[in-house]
Coordinates of all heavy atoms in Angstrom, one line a residue:
S427 N 4.0 15.2 3.3 CA 3.0 14.6 2.5 C 2.8 13.1 3.0 O 3.7 12.5 3.5 CB 3.3 14.7 1.1 OG 4.5 14.1 0.7
V428 N 1.6 12.6 2.8 CA 1.4 11.1 3.2 C 1.4 10.4 1.9 O 0.8 10.7 0.8 CB -0.1 11.0 3.6 CG1 -0.5 9.6 3.9 CG2 -0.2 11.8 4.9
L429 N 2.3 9.4 1.9 CA 2.4 8.4 0.7 C 1.6 7.3 0.7 O 1.2 6.8 -0.3 CB 3.9 8.0 0.6 CG 5.0 9.0 0.4 CD1 6.4 8.4 0.4 CD2 4.7 10.0 -0.7
A430 N 1.2 6.8 2.0 CA 0.3 5.7 2.1 C -0.3 5.6 3.4 O 0.2 6.0 4.3 CB 1.1 4.3 1.7
N431 N -1.5 5.0 3.4 CA -2.2 4.7 4.7 C -2.3 3.2 4.9 O -2.0 2.5 4.0 CB -3.7 5.3 4.6 CG -3.7 6.7 4.5 OD1 -3.2 7.4 5.4 ND2 -4.1 7.3 3.4
R432 N -2.7 2.8 6.1 CA -2.9 1.4 6.5 C -1.7 0.7 6.5 O -1.7 -0.5 6.2 CB -4.0 0.7 5.7 CG -5.4 1.5 5.7 CD -6.3 0.7 4.7 NE -7.4 1.5 4.4 CZ -7.5 2.4 3.4 NH1 -6.3 2.6 2.6 NH2 -8.4 3.2 3.1
I433 N -0.5 1.2 6.8 CA 0.8 0.6 6.8 C 1.1 0.1 8.2 O 1.0 1.0 9.2 CB 1.8 1.5 6.3 CG1 1.5 2.1 4.9 CG2 3.2 0.8 6.3 CD1 1.4 1.1 3.8
T434 N 1.3 -1.1 8.5 CA 1.6 -1.6 9.7 C 3.0 -1.9 10.1 O 3.4 -2.0 11.2 CB 0.8 -3.0 10.0 OG1 1.2 -4.0 9.0 CG2 -0.7 -2.7 10.0
A435 N 3.9 -1.9 9.0 CA 5.3 -2.1 9.3 C 6.1 -1.5 8.0 O 5.7 -1.6 6.9 CB 5.6 -3.6 9.4
L436 N 7.1 -0.8 8.4 CA 8.0 -0.3 7.3 C 9.4 -0.3 7.8 O 9.7 0.0 8.9 CB 7.7 1.2 7.2 CG 8.5 2.0 6.1 CD1 8.4 1.5 4.7 CD2 8.2 3.5 6.2
T437 N 10.3 -1.0 7.1 CA 11.7 -1.2 7.5 C 12.6 -0.7 6.3 O 12.4 -1.2 5.2 CB 12.0 -2.6 7.8 OG1 11.1 -3.0 8.8 CG2 13.3 -2.8 8.4
F438 N 13.5 0.0 6.6 CA 14.7 0.3 5.7 C 15.9 -0.4 6.2 O 16.4 -0.1 7.3 CB 14.9 1.9 5.6 CG 13.7 2.6 5.1 CD1 12.9 3.2 6.0 CD2 13.5 2.8 3.8 CE1 11.7 3.8 5.6 CE2 12.4 3.5 3.3 CZ 11.5 4.0 4.3
N439 N 16.5 -1.2 5.4 CA 17.7 -1.9 5.8 C 18.9 -1.5 5.0 O 18.7 -1.6 3.7 CB 17.4 -3.5 5.6 CG 18.7 -4.3 6.2 OD1 19.3 -3.9 7.2 ND2 19.0 -5.3 5.4
R440 N 20.0 -1.2 5.5 CA 21.3 -1.0 4.7 C 22.3 -2.0 5.0 O 23.0 -1.9 6.0 CB 21.8 0.5 5.1 CG 20.8 1.5 4.8 CD 21.4 2.9 4.9 NE 22.7 3.1 4.2 CZ 23.6 3.8 4.6 NH1 23.5 4.6 5.6 NH2 24.7 3.8 3.8
P441 N 22.4 -3.0 4.1 CA 23.4 -4.0 4.3 C 25.0 -3.4 4.4 O 25.2 -2.5 3.6 CB 23.3 -4.9 3.2 CG 21.9 -4.7 2.7 CD 21.6 -3.2 2.9
A442 N 25.7 -3.8 5.3 CA 27.1 -3.1 5.6 C 28.0 -3.2 4.2 O 28.0 -4.2 3.6 CB 27.7 -3.9 6.7
G443 N 28.4 -2.1 3.9 CA 29.5 -2.0 2.9 C 28.9 -2.1 1.4 O 29.7 -2.2 0.6
R444 N 27.6 -2.0 1.4 CA 27.0 -2.0 0.0 C 26.2 -0.8 -0.3 O 25.5 -0.2 0.6 CB 26.1 -3.3 -0.1 CG 27.0 -4.6 0.1 CD 26.1 -5.8 0.1 NE 25.4 -5.9 -1.3 CZ 24.4 -6.7 -1.5 NH1 23.8 -7.4 -0.5 NH2 23.9 -6.7 -2.7
A445 N 26.2 -0.4 -1.4 CA 25.4 0.8 -1.9 C 23.9 0.5 -2.2 O 23.5 0.7 -3.3 CB 26.2 1.6 -3.0
I446 N 23.2 -0.2 -1.4 CA 21.9 -0.6 -1.6 C 21.0 -0.3 -0.4 O 21.6 -0.2 0.7 CB 21.7 -2.1 -2.0 CG1 22.2 -3.0 -0.9 CG2 22.6 -2.4 -3.3 CD1 21.7 -4.5 -1.2
V447 N 19.7 -0.2 -0.7 CA 18.8 -0.1 0.4 C 17.6 -1.1 0.2 O 17.2 -1.2 -0.9 CB 18.1 1.3 0.5 CG1 17.0 1.4 1.6 CG2 19.2 2.4 0.7
E448 N 17.3 -1.9 1.1 CA 16.3 -2.8 1.2 C 15.0 -2.2 1.9 O 15.2 -1.8 3.0 CB 16.6 -4.1 1.8 CG 17.8 -4.8 1.1 CD 18.4 -6.0 2.0 OE1 18.0 -6.0 3.2 OE2 19.1 -6.7 1.3
I449 N 13.9 -2.2 1.2 CA 12.7 -1.6 1.8 C 11.6 -2.7 1.9 O 11.4 -3.5 1.0 CB 12.1 -0.5 1.0 CG1 13.2 0.5 0.6 CG2 10.9 0.1 1.6 CD1 12.6 1.7 -0.3
S450 N 11.0 -2.8 3.1 CA 10.0 -3.8 3.3 C 8.8 -3.1 4.0 O 9.0 -2.3 4.9 CB 10.5 -5.0 4.4 OG 11.6 -5.7 3.8
L451 N 7.6 -3.4 3.4 CA 6.5 -2.7 4.0 C 5.3 -3.7 4.1 O 5.3 -4.5 3.3 CB 6.1 -1.4 3.4 CG 5.5 -1.4 2.1 CD1 4.0 -1.7 2.0 CD2 5.8 0.1 1.5
T452 N 4.5 -3.6 5.1 CA 3.3 -4.4 5.3 C 2.1 -3.4 5.3 O 2.1 -2.5 6.2 CB 3.4 -5.3 6.6 OG1 4.6 -6.1 6.4 CG2 2.1 -6.2 6.8
A453 N 1.0 -3.7 4.6 CA -0.2 -3.0 4.7 C -1.3 -3.8 4.9 O -1.3 -5.1 4.6 CB -0.5 -2.3 3.2
E454 N -2.3 -3.3 5.8 CA -3.3 -4.2 6.3 C -4.7 -3.4 6.4 O -4.7 -2.2 6.7 CB -3.0 -4.6 7.7 CG -3.6 -5.9 8.2 CD -2.9 -6.3 9.5 OE1 -3.2 -5.7 10.5 OE2 -2.2 -7.4 9.4
K455 N -5.8 -4.0 5.9 CA -7.1 -3.5 6.1 C -8.1 -4.5 6.3 O -8.0 -5.7 5.8 CB -7.4 -2.6 4.8 CG -8.7 -1.9 4.8 CD -8.9 -1.2 3.5 CE -10.3 -0.5 3.5 NZ -10.7 0.2 2.3
Y456 N -9.1 -4.2 7.1 CA -10.2 -5.0 7.3 C -10.9 -5.3 5.8 O -11.1 -4.3 5.1 CB -11.2 -4.5 8.3 CG -10.7 -4.7 9.7 CD1 -10.2 -3.5 10.4 CD2 -10.7 -5.9 10.3 CE1 -9.8 -3.7 11.6 CE2 -10.2 -6.0 11.6 CZ -9.8 -5.0 12.3 OH -9.2 -5.0 13.5
A457 N -11.2 -6.6 5.6 CA -11.7 -6.9 4.3 C -13.2 -6.5 4.1 O -13.6 -6.4 2.9 CB -11.5 -8.4 4.1
L458 N -14.0 -6.6 5.1 CA -15.5 -6.4 4.8 C -15.9 -5.1 5.5 O -15.5 -4.8 6.7 CB -16.2 -7.5 5.5 CG -15.8 -8.9 4.9 CD1 -16.5 -10.1 5.6 CD2 -16.3 -8.9 3.5
T459 N -16.6 -4.3 4.9 CA -17.2 -3.0 5.3 C -18.0 -3.3 6.6 O -18.8 -4.1 6.7 CB -18.2 -2.4 4.3 OG1 -17.5 -2.3 3.1 CG2 -18.5 -1.0 4.8
G460 N -17.6 -2.5 7.6 CA -18.3 -2.5 8.9 C -17.8 -3.5 9.9 O -18.2 -3.6 11.1
F461 N -16.7 -4.4 9.4 CA -16.2 -5.4 10.3 C -14.8 -4.8 10.8 O -14.0 -4.8 9.9 CB -16.1 -6.7 9.7 CG -17.4 -7.3 9.4 CD1 -18.1 -7.1 8.2 CD2 -18.1 -8.2 10.3 CE1 -19.4 -7.7 8.0 CE2 -19.2 -8.7 10.1 CZ -19.9 -8.5 8.9
T462 N -14.6 -4.6 12.0 CA -13.4 -4.1 12.5 C -13.0 -4.7 13.9 O -12.0 -4.1 14.5 CB -13.4 -2.5 12.7 OG1 -14.5 -2.2 13.6 CG2 -13.6 -1.9 11.3
S463 N -13.6 -5.8 14.2 CA -13.2 -6.5 15.5 C -12.0 -7.4 15.2 O -11.7 -7.7 14.0 CB -14.4 -7.2 16.0 OG -14.7 -8.3 15.2
S464 N -11.4 -7.8 16.2 CA -10.2 -8.7 16.1 C -10.5 -9.9 15.3 O -9.6 -10.5 14.7 CB -9.6 -9.0 17.5 OG -10.6 -9.7 18.2

Side-chain angles (χ1 to χ4, degrees):
S427 55
V428 176
L429 297 182
N431 293 299
R432 300 176 203 89
I433 306 299
T434 56
L436 175 65
T437 304
F438 299 97
N439 182 40
R440 294 190 55 209
R444 297 179 62 200
I446 65 169
V447 175
E448 298 168 343
I449 307 172
S450 299
L451 68 84
T452 301
E454 201 171 75
K455 182 179 179 184
Y456 286 102
L458 302 173
T459 307
F461 291 88
T462 57
S463 65
S464 61

